[in-house]
C-alpha cells in the first residue's frame, strides 16, 4: 500500500466531523469532543483524553436497563430485517430508540434495496452517516453503533475487491500475502464506513464432505492459526475490529452434513484443544482479536453459545479476550429449540448471557431478543452485575474503535479512490496466482506453448461467473472466466468453448448413489464438446464445483466429480489429445481417474475476479505455480476421517481397502526444481523454556524463477500421551531465481513443543524431538534432532 494512502486513511479515522457534519443538533459537536448526552458539559465518557476504563465506567453509570439491553442486540441491515433505508419518524417508537449494539450488512448491496444505497459510494457513506447521526443525536446518551459486515473474500459490499476463497488463500501458504489481503479489506471497509468485519474463519477443514470447507484456510491448526493471525492484525491495524468465527468446535458436522446435524461433534477433549481451539487461541492471545462469533453447535452436550466454559473460562479468563461475543444465526434460539438445555427461549437467553454472550445476531428483529432479555433480568435469571460486565465489554470495543471521538466513519470521496482500485486489484490477482497448485505435470506438458493454433476449452466451469460468487464476499464481482483468459492469452489461435455438461445432473444428488440414463440434452452437450476437442490441438478441461455444490448448506456424500463431469472427462481422454485439467472447486476431490490418465492437473480453488487470467498465465508459463495443498486429498470418501495431522497407524494398509492420500497435505509441484541442504539446529540440548533455532538452505536448481514453500515438521519422539506422527511448526514461501540460494530460519518456541499431557496440562515434556524440513508432509528432505532437558 502506498504510504500516502495509509496516512490519508488514518487521518480520516481520527478527524472529528464538526464542520462537515451539519445537522439540526450542531450544538452537540464541540471543539474536540461531542456532547453525546446533550447536557451541555463534557462528561468523562465524552472526554477523548480520559482512559477507556474511566469512560466506560462513567457511561455505564448513566445507562438505564433499557439502554443496556439495547446494546446487546444486532439490528440486521436495511432490506434484510430493517425495513427502512434511512431513519424515519417511527424509529422513535421502535425498540432501538434507546440505542443498538451493532447494525450488520447495512446497505452492502444485498437485500431488497440492492445497489440503491451501496453505490455510488458517496451515497452509501452518506446513508451510513445519516443512520449513525440518528443514534448519536436522537437517543438519550448518543451511543454510536458498530457497523459490522462479512468479509472472508473481500468486504461484502458491491464492487469491492473480490479475492480467492479462503481455501485458495490457504493454498498460497503466504503469510505476507494474507496480511496484504487484510490490509486491502481494512482500507476498503474503513472508506465505506464499516467498523467490524466478520473475518477470518478459523475453523479447520478436516472433513471435505462439509459444505463450508471452501471457507477454511485448510485442515491444519498451525497453518490456519498463522494465516488468520495475519488477517486479524491487518484489519485491526486500521482500527477495524476482526471478528473471527465460528467459535468453537464447529467444523465437525456429523457425517460431514450441514445444518440440521449441528450437534454432537465427536472430538475428544485433548483433540479439541490441540486441533480445533488452537487457531482461536492464536487469534486472541497473539493477534489480539476484539471480536468473536459463537457457534450454534454443542460440544459434549453443552451448547457453545450457552457455555460458560467456552465463552468465559477459556475465552476470557484463559486467553484474555477483551472484546465482545456475537452469536451466529440461531445460536441462542437453538439452546432451547434444538439442544433443549433450556425450557424456553427466555431461559435460553439467560443461559447465553450468563455464559458470556454479548450481542445476539440473527435475521430477526432485535426486539425478539431484547424483550425476553429484559424479562429474564426482571425475574432475576441474570444478575445486574453480569449485564454491566457484558455492556462494559461492548463499550470497550466502541471506545477502542474511536466511535465516541468520531462516530462518522467512512469517506465517499476516498472510497471512490481506494475501493476496487488498481492497486487492490493487483493484490487480488497475485492472490489468485499464488493459490494455484500444480498437482501433476507428466512429461512436462505444462507450460503450453503460445504457438498453438487451436484449443478447446471445455467444462461447466470454463465460462462460469454467477455460481463462483460467494454470499460472504463482494456481490456482482467482475469475474474473468478461464475461457476468456485463454482467448486473451492466444489472440491468434482458434479458441473454442463448449460446456460439455452442467455442474450437476438433473437427478443430483440421488445420482451420487444410483445411475440414471443420460438425457438427450445432456448427450448433446457432451457430443458438442467431444467434437470441439477432436478438432483442437490441445484440450483444457475446467471441471469441479461451484456454489451449487460447495458452500454453507452444500455438503456432499461423495467426493467424486458431480454430475456427468467424470463421464465427460473419460470421453475426452479417449480422444488421445493432450489434456490439461483445471479444477475450480472449494473442496478436495477424489479425482483418481484424472490422476492416472490426465497428464497435467491444476487446482485453482475459487480464484476470485482474476480467475481466468491467473489460470491462463499458469498454463502458458507466464507464471510458475507455487501453491501447496492446505488439505489432504483422499482417494475415497470411505477413508474419512483422513486429514493431517495423523495419529500413528491411522493411514495403515490392510489389503482390503485403499490407503494413502491421493495428494498429501502440503503437496504441490513447480516448473522448476529445488535442492535442500545445510540443516543446522541450535542448541541441540535446551531447557523447557528455551527456543530452538533451525536453519537450512534452499536452492533453485532449475532454469526458471519459481516459488518454494519450505515446510518444517516436528515429531515428539516419546511423550506421556500419544501424539501425532508429525505436526507443522513452520513454513515460508520464498521466490528464487535460477541458481539462487537462500537460507531459511525457523524459531521453535515452547508453545510449538508443548502438548496437553496425561493430566491435561499444557507443557513441554523433556525428551527427544525430530525436525523434518521439506516440500510437503510426505516429502521431507532434511532431518535432525534436538533434546529438551
Amino acid at each position: 500500500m502506498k504510504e500516502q494512502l495509509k496516512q490519508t486513511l488514518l487521518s480520516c479515522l481520527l478527524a472529528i466531523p464538526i464542520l462537515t457534519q451539519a445537522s439540526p443538533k450542531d450544538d452537540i459537536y464541540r471543539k474536540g469532543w461531542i456532547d453525546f448526552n446533550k447536557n451541555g458539559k463534557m462528561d468523562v465518557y465524552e472526554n477523548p483524553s480520559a482512559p477507556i476504563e474511566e469512560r466506560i465506567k462513567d457511561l455505564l453509570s448513566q445507562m438505564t436497563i433499557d439502554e443496556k439491553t439495547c446494546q446487546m442486540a444486532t439490528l440486521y441491515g436495511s432490506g434484510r430485517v430493517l425495513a427502512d433505508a434511512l431513519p424515519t419518524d417511527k424509529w422513535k417508537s421502535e425498540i432501538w430508540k434507546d440505542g443498538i449494539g451493532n447494525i450488520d450488512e447495512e446497505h452492502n448491496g444485498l437485500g431488497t434495496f440492492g445497489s440503491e444505497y451501496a453505490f455510488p459510494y458517496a451515497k452509501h457513506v452518506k446513508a451510513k452517516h445519516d443512520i449513525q447521526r440518528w443514534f448519536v443525536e436522537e437517543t438519550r446518551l448518543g451511543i454510536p453503533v458498530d457497523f459490522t459486515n462479512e468479509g472472508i473474500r473481500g468486504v461484502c459490499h458491491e464492487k469491492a475487491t473480490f479475492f480467492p476463497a479462503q481455501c485458495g488463500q490457504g493454498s498460497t501458504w503466504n503469510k505476507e500475502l494474507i496480511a496484504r489481503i487484510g490490509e486491502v479489506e481494512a482500507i476498503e471497509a474503513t472508506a465505506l464506513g464499516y467498523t467490524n468485519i466478520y473475518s477470518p474463519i478459523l475453523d479447520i477443514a478436516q472433513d471435505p464432505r462439509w459444505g463450508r470447507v471452501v471457507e477454511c484456510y485448510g485442515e491444519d491448526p498451525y497453518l490456519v492459526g498463522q494465516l488468520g493471525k495475519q488477517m486479524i492484525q491487518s484489519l485491526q491495524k486500521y482500527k477495524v475490529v476482526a471478528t473471527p468465527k465460528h467459535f468453537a468446535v464447529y467444523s465437525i458436522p456429523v457425517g460431514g452434513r450441514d445444518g440440521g446435524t449441528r450437534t454432537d461433534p465427536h472430538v475428544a477433549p485433548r483433540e479439541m484443544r490441540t486441533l480445533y481451539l488452537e487457531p482461536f487461541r492464536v487469534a486472541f492471545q497473539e493477534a489480539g482479536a476484539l471480536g468473536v462469533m459463537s457457534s450454534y453447535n454443542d460440544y459434549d452436550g453443552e451448547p457453545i453459545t450457552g457455555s460458560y466454559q467456552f465463552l468465559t473460562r477459556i475465552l476470557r479468563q484463559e486467553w484474555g479476550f477483551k472484546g465482545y461475543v456475537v452469536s451466529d444465526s440461531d445460536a441462542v434460539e437453538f439452546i432451547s429449540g434444538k439442544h433443549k438445555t433450556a425450557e424456553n427461549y427466555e431461559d435460553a437467553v439467560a443461559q447465553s448471557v450468563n455464559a458470556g454472550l454479548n450481542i445476539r445476531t440473527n435475521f430477526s428483529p432485535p426486539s425478539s431478543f431484547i424483550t425476553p432479555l429484559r424479562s429474564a433480568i426482571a425475574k432475576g435469571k441474570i444478575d445486574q452485575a453480569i449485564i454491566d460486565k457484558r455492556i462494559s465489554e461492548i463499550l470497550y470495543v466502541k471506545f477502542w474503535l474511536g466511535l465516541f471521538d468520531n462516530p462518522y466513519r467512512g469517506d465517499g470521496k476516498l472510497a471512490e479512490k481506494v475501493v476496487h482500485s488498481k492497486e487492490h486489484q493487483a493484490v487480488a490477482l497475485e492472490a489468485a496466482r499464488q493459490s494455484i497448485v500444480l498437482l501433476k505435470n507428466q512429461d512436462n506438458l505444462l507450460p503450453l506453448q503460445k504457438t498453438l493454433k487451436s484449443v478447446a476449452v471445455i467444462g461447466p466451469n470454463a465460462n462460469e461467473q454467477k455460481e463462483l460468487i460467494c454470499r460472504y464476499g463482494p456481490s456482482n464481482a467482475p469475474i474473468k472466466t478461464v475461457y476468456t483468459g485463454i482467448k486473451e492469452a492466444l489472440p491468434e489461435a482458434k479458441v473454442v468453448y463448449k460446456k460439455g455438461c452442467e455442474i450437476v445432473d438433473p437427478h443430483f444428488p440421488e445420482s451420487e448413489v444410483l445411475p440414471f440414463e443420460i438425457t438427450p440434452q445432456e448427450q448433446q452437450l457432451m457430443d458438442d464438446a467431444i467434437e470441439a476437442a477432436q478438432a483442437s490441438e490441445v484440450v483444457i478441461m475446467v471441471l469441479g464445483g461451484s456454489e451449487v455444490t460447495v458452500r454453507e448448506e452444500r455438503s456432499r456424500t461423495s467426493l467424486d466429480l458431480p454430475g456427468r463431469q467424470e463421464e465427460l472427462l473419460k470421453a475426452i481422454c479417449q480422444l488421445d489429445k493432450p489434456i490439461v485439467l483445471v479444477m475450480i472447486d472449494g473442496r478436495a476431490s477424489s479425482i483418481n481417474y484424472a490422476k492416472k490418465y490426465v497428464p497435467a492437473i491444476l487446482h485453482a480453488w475459487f480464484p476470485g475476479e482474476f480467475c481466468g487470467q491467473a489460470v491462463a498465465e499458469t498454463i502458458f508459463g507466464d507464471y510458475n505455480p507455487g501453491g501447496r495443498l492446505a488439505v489432504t486429498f483422499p482417494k475415497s470418501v470411505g477413508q474419512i476421517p483422513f486429514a493431517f495431522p495423523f495419529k500413528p497407524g491411522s493411514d495403515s494398509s490392510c489389503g482390503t481397502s485403499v490407503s494413502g492420500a491421493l495428494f498429501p497435505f502440503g503437496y504441490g509441484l513447480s516448473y522448476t526444481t529445488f535442492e535442500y541442504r545445510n540443516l543446522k539446529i541450535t542448541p541441540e540440548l535446551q531447557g523447557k523454556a528455551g527456543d530452538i533455532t533451525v536453519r537450512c538452505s534452499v536452492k533453485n536448481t532449475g532454469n526458471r524463477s519459481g516459488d518454494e514453500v519450505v515446510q518444517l515438521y516436528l515429531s515428539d519422539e516419546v511423550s506421556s500421551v500419544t501424539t501425532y506422527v508429525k505436526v507443522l511448526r513452520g513454513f515460508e514461501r520464498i521466490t528464487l531465481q535460477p541458481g539462487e540460494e537462500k537460507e531459511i530460519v525457523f524459531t521453535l518456541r515452547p508453545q510449538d513443543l508443548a502438548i496437553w499431557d496425561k493430566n491435561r496440562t499444557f507443557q513441554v515434556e523433556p525428551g527427544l524431538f525430530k525436525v523434518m524440513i521439506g516440500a510437503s508432509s510426505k516429502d521431507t528432505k532434511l532431518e535432525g534432532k534436538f533434546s529438551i532437558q
Side-chain angles (χ1 to χ4, degrees), residues 152-157 159-165 169 181 184 188 420 424-425 427-429 431-432 465-480 547 606-611:
I152 58 171
R153 298 189 63 178
V155 179
C156 184
H157 189 98
K159 300 181 184 294
T161 306
F162 189 48
F163 289 97
Q169 294 178 37
I181 293 172
V184 169
E188 297 192 358
H420 203 242
H424 290 181
Q425 290 178 53
V427 179
L429 173 58
Q465 290 179 305
K466 178 178 177 290
E467 296 299 344
L468 299 183
I469 296 175
C470 170
R471 131 95 179 94
Y472 291 105
S475 56
N476 300 324
I479 293 178
K480 177 175 290 188
E547 288 277 299
F606 289 154
E609 61 183 280
F610 292 99
C611 169

Side-chain angles (χ1 to χ4, degrees), residues 30-299:
R30 307 300 179 89
K31 186 175 182 180
W33 64 284
I34 300 173
D35 186 11
F36 288 101
N37 64 4
K38 300 94 180 166
N39 66 356
K41 66 176 184 177
M42 183 192 290
D43 291 77
V44 175
Y45 86 91
E46 298 165 346
N47 183 355
S49 61
I52 286 181
E53 291 74 16
E54 291 183 17
R55 298 178 80 177
I56 293 171
K57 184 179 178 180
D58 178 60
L59 177 53
L60 194 63
S61 71
Q62 299 185 41
M63 296 175 73
T64 66
I65 195 64
D66 284 356
E67 288 163 337
K68 290 175 182 178
T69 51
C70 276
Q71 288 298 308
M72 297 184 70
T74 292
L75 177 58
Y76 209 84
S78 295
R80 308 297 290 281
V81 170
L82 178 60
D84 308 309
L86 295 169
T88 67
D89 290 340
K90 69 178 182 179
W91 281 27
K92 275 294 187 179
S93 60
E94 296 282 5
I95 201 163
W96 56 83
K97 68 182 183 300
D98 295 310
I100 202 73
N102 58 36
I103 300 181
D104 195 23
E105 298 194 65
E106 180 64 13
H107 289 316
N108 63 355
L110 302 177
T112 57
F113 290 104
S115 304
E116 185 178 353
Y117 290 91
F119 189 83
Y121 301 131
K123 183 177 182 180
H124 168 78
V125 172
K126 182 181 184 304
K128 297 277 277 292
H129 287 180
D130 288 345
I131 293 164
Q132 184 74 287
R133 185 177 297 109
W134 189 91
F135 284 95
V136 169
E137 297 178 359
E138 300 298 334
T139 63
R140 187 178 73 92
L141 295 176
I143 301 173
V145 302
D146 184 9
F147 283 107
T148 58
N149 198 3
E150 301 288 350
I152 58 171
R153 298 189 63 178
V155 179
C156 184
H157 189 98
E158 186 165 0
K159 300 181 184 294
T161 306
F162 189 48
F163 289 97
Q166 272 200 199
C167 59
Q169 294 178 37
S171 294
T172 70
W173 290 63
N174 189 330
K175 288 171 283 194
E176 292 75 18
L177 179 59
I178 302 303
R180 287 165 63 199
I181 293 172
E183 197 166 77
V184 169
E185 279 203 33
I187 289 172
E188 297 192 358
T190 300
L192 290 166
Y194 299 109
T195 48
N196 189 326
I197 298 296
Y198 293 160
S199 177
I201 288 180
L202 296 180
D203 307 308
I204 57 173
Q206 292 259 312
D207 189 335
R209 295 172 296 181
W210 183 45
R212 301 196 81 168
V213 292
V214 61
E215 300 169 5
C216 303
Y217 284 127
E219 68 190 17
D220 178 74
Y222 182 84
L223 177 66
V224 171
Q226 294 303 306
L227 297 183
K229 179 179 178 179
Q230 301 301 317
M231 176 63 70
I232 292 164
Q233 290 177 331
S234 286
L235 287 171
Q236 295 198 166
K237 180 172 66 175
Y238 286 89
K239 286 292 181 179
V240 175
V241 169
T243 296
K245 53 185 184 177
H246 308 83
F247 182 75
V249 206
Y250 171 81
S251 56
I252 323 168
V254 176
R257 298 184 293 276
D258 279 282
T261 58
R262 278 289 174 213
T263 53
D264 195 24
H266 293 175
V267 181
R270 187 172 287 106
E271 181 183 12
M272 181 266 288
R273 282 278 193 170
T274 305
L275 300 183
Y276 293 89
L277 292 196
E278 179 58 18
F280 289 95
R281 183 202 65 78
V282 173
F284 304 120
Q285 282 198 328
E286 298 182 18
L290 285 173
V292 65
M293 181 180 288
S294 66
S295 55
Y296 48 73
N297 57 284
D298 69 338
Y299 175 72

Side-chain angles (χ1 to χ4, degrees), residues 663-677:
F663 300 106
F665 175 79
Y667 174 83
L669 304 175
S670 172
Y671 296 155
T672 189
T673 55
F674 300 94
E675 179 185 276
Y676 288 67
R677 60 183 182 180

Side-chain angles (χ1 to χ4, degrees), residues 456-706:
V457 184
I458 293 171
N461 272 336
N463 204 33
E464 181 59 63
Q465 290 179 305
K466 178 178 177 290
E467 296 299 344
L468 299 183
I469 296 175
C470 170
R471 131 95 179 94
Y472 291 105
S475 56
N476 300 324
I479 293 178
K480 177 175 290 188
T481 69
V482 174
Y483 170 55
T484 300
I486 299 297
K487 282 200 304 179
E488 290 178 354
L490 300 176
E492 304 300 321
K494 181 181 180 181
V495 180
V496 177
Y497 158 69
K498 296 294 177 181
K499 195 168 194 176
C501 66
E502 303 291 343
I503 284 286
V504 297
D505 61 84
H507 296 279
F508 183 86
E510 192 179 2
S511 56
E512 303 268 66
V513 294
L514 279 176
F516 290 89
E517 187 173 344
I518 193 167
T519 67
Q521 293 85 354
E522 288 180 302
Q523 189 63 60
Q524 188 62 56
L525 279 175
M526 199 170 293
D527 290 344
D528 291 345
I530 292 170
E531 182 180 347
Q534 284 177 323
S536 300
E537 293 177 73
V538 172
V539 181
I540 297 173
M541 302 281 292
V542 192
L543 308 178
S546 71
E547 288 277 299
V548 174
T549 61
V550 56
R551 65 172 175 85
E552 189 172 11
E553 303 289 353
R554 290 289 185 274
S555 292
R556 290 188 61 201
T557 47
S558 171
L559 295 179
D560 297 339
L561 290 169
R564 302 288 180 185
Q565 294 186 65
E566 190 89 352
E567 295 174 51
L568 176 65
L569 179 63
K570 290 177 179 178
I572 300 296
C573 283
Q574 291 173 4
L575 301 178
D576 199 28
K577 296 276 185 177
I579 298 175
V580 177
L581 171 60
V582 178
M583 290 290 294
I584 306 289
D585 206 349
R587 59 161 54 92
S589 300
S590 49
I591 48 173
N592 294 281
Y593 181 88
K595 184 182 180 183
K596 185 169 184 179
Y597 294 108
V598 176
I601 306 173
L602 291 170
H603 205 302
W605 307 100
F606 289 154
E609 61 183 280
F610 292 99
C611 169
Q613 181 175 342
V615 168
E617 287 177 349
T618 304
I619 286 175
F620 293 105
D622 298 312
Y623 182 77
N624 185 356
R628 299 294 184 266
L629 293 182
V631 293
T632 302
F633 276 48
K635 295 176 181 176
S636 166
V637 72
Q639 292 175 282
I640 297 171
F642 191 73
F644 185 87
F646 292 95
K647 286 289 183 73
S650 59
D651 188 20
S652 59
S653 174
C654 66
T656 55
S657 64
V658 296
S659 61
L662 187 66
F663 300 106
F665 175 79
Y667 174 83
L669 304 175
S670 172
Y671 296 155
T672 189
T673 55
F674 300 94
E675 179 185 276
Y676 288 67
R677 60 183 182 180
N678 299 331
L679 176 65
K680 297 177 184 177
I681 302 174
T682 54
E684 294 184 357
L685 182 63
Q686 179 61 285
K688 292 170 67 173
D691 293 346
I692 300 290
T693 301
V694 181
R695 302 171 184 270
C696 73
S697 296
V698 180
K699 183 177 182 180
N700 184 343
T701 54
N703 57 9
R704 61 173 297 161
S705 172

